[in-house]
Amino acid sequence: CHMDTGRWSVPLRVESVHEGGGDFTLTADGATRAALAREAGVIAFPSVEAKFHVEPYRRNGLRVTGTVTATVRQTCVVTMDEIEGAISEPIEITSDLSADDRPLSGEEDRHPDDPEPPEPLAGDSIDLGAIATEFLLLGVDPYPRKAGVVFDAPAPASDENPFAALAALKNKSAKP
């Protein structure tokens, strides 16, 4: 696993995946976890691991399933304390070299129950590191809270309805 221009990059060539498919486990090293934490806007990722099963899909594609798991350190949005949480995101995508050759149909032509169309492959490989990163970032809670902490909104300064106050001002200004 190495970083390429600040990204977790682990390319896998389509032709290297045999008929029965293969299993791959990626474990992010310290530099990769630090870069991922910067990208996600979190304090740190003490651990990040992705497990994939990759198998041929159609004639020129791949189907990737698996899970990305991580430990994440974030700041509680209520107490501002550092908290630690777990991420576990399922991964399921299909990519197809021949997807570029097919005419693009409009999204409105698809039935909502239809499976997502395969993503076109760029070149002759997929990047397992980029896939892991994409799903990891989906799993980061944008509003992390310490267990048991509830946000209490401040009580209004008075019992007066703010809309009633606006209506009274409007009525005053409307009179000559």
Side-chain angles (χ1 to χ4, degrees):
C1 300
H2 66 282
M3 292 299 294
D4 182 20
T5 64
R7 302 285 299 182
W8 192 10
S9 182
V10 184
L12 177 67
R13 295 179 64 83
V14 173
E15 67 265 11
S16 69
V17 178
H18 302 292
E19 191 176 319
D23 295 318
F24 302 88
T25 299
L26 310 183
T27 304
D29 63 18
T32 301
R33 292 192 319 270
L36 290 169
R38 281 192 301 275
E39 187 171 351
V42 300
I43 297 168
F45 284 114
S47 68
V48 178
E49 182 178 84
K51 293 185 179 194
F52 297 100
H53 179 73
V54 183
E55 59 193 7
Y57 175 79
R58 294 188 179 164
R59 205 165 33 97
N60 294 314
L62 294 175
R63 182 169 189 264
V64 180
T65 55
T67 308
V68 62
T69 56
T71 304
V72 59
R73 280 198 199 113
Q74 295 177 272
T75 303
C76 172
V77 294
V78 178
T79 66
M80 295 303 162
D81 293 337
E82 185 176 308
I83 56 174
E84 194 165 278
I87 294 173
S88 180
E89 280 293 311
I91 296 168
E92 184 173 351
I93 63 167
T94 53
S95 296
D96 192 355
L97 275 174
S98 55
D100 284 335
D101 304 334
R102 289 195 296 273
L104 292 174
S105 62
E107 287 291 316
E108 66 279 355
D109 295 342
R110 286 188 45 237
H111 188 275
D113 295 334
D114 289 347
E116 284 291 313
E119 298 198 17
L121 277 173
D124 59 355
S125 64
I126 59 169
D127 190 331
L128 295 179
I131 293 168
T133 298
E134 179 182 339
F135 284 88
L136 173 68
L137 296 179
L138 285 174
V140 173
D141 183 351
Y143 304 105
R145 290 188 188 171
K146 200 173 190 177
V149 171
V150 178
F151 176 72
D152 290 324
S158 71
D159 291 335
E160 187 177 318
N161 179 337
F163 295 107
L166 286 173
L169 284 174
K170 185 178 176 186
N171 288 340
K172 277 186 188 173
S173 64
K175 292 179 184 171

